Amino acid sequence: LVTQSTACGLLLYHECFTIIVNTLKSVFNDVMAYSAYVPTFYAQWGYSLAFKSNKPKRFLDTKQIDQEMEKKLSKKTFDDLRYYDGETHLNMFSLPKYLRTALSKEKRVMTKETPYYQY
């Protein structure tokens, strides 16, 4: 499962990002949070990957990521990419300290009875 997990910049991460990640952790075996700057939102935006079982080992190997992308896109298309490759992919999961700390302390879980909204 992949989902947007809302803004995760220094001023907004606590409003929803940490709650979404923690909620996914309460349901799935393995969850990886990551972020990327989204110019349209003028913000660092969070996303989550959630796995029923352990994450595939290929998620941790830049060469395997590059090889898989080349197969799916073609070598020329892959070589023409200006932003994304295996190294960028792995670095997206290197969250800043404030997010790692907040995620380790988050206790809230979103349910029908306890929804959370970000304005």
Side-chain angles (χ1 to χ4, degrees):
L1 171 77
V2 178
T3 185
Q4 288 189 59
S5 300
T6 73
C8 64
L10 189 57
L11 300 177
L12 296 174
Y13 69 90
H14 62 283
E15 289 186 13
C16 227
F17 175 75
T18 56
I19 301 166
I20 291 171
V21 174
N22 199 51
T23 300
L24 290 170
K25 286 181 177 181
S26 75
V27 177
F28 290 91
N29 189 50
D30 204 347
V31 176
M32 296 173 67
Y34 63 102
S35 70
Y37 182 76
V38 178
T40 307
F41 299 153
Y42 299 104
Q44 195 70 16
W45 208 253
Y47 304 88
S48 299
L49 286 173
F51 302 91
K52 289 181 182 179
S53 57
N54 293 335
K55 65 183 154 280
K57 291 187 188 222
R58 70 179 183 272
F59 272 77
L60 305 174
D61 184 326
T62 58
K63 289 181 183 178
Q64 284 187 8
I65 294 166
D66 287 346
Q67 289 170 352
E68 196 165 320
M69 289 175 61
E70 280 183 13
K71 275 193 255 181
K72 291 182 179 190
L73 297 174
S74 84
K75 176 139 178 55
K76 180 179 178 356
T77 302
F78 175 74
D79 288 343
D80 287 346
L81 293 176
R82 294 178 14 198
Y83 178 81
Y84 194 79
D85 66 359
E87 187 173 341
T88 303
H89 175 85
L90 287 182
N91 286 326
M92 289 170 62
F93 293 97
S94 297
L95 298 174
K97 185 177 180 181
Y98 72 90
L99 283 178
R100 295 191 315 269
T101 301
L103 287 168
S104 71
K105 293 178 180 180
E106 184 60 72
K107 303 291 181 226
R108 296 171 291 178
V109 173
M110 194 179 314
T111 67
K112 284 184 190 179
E113 293 77 30
T114 57
Y116 291 88
Y117 303 96
Q118 183 172 342
Y119 300 98

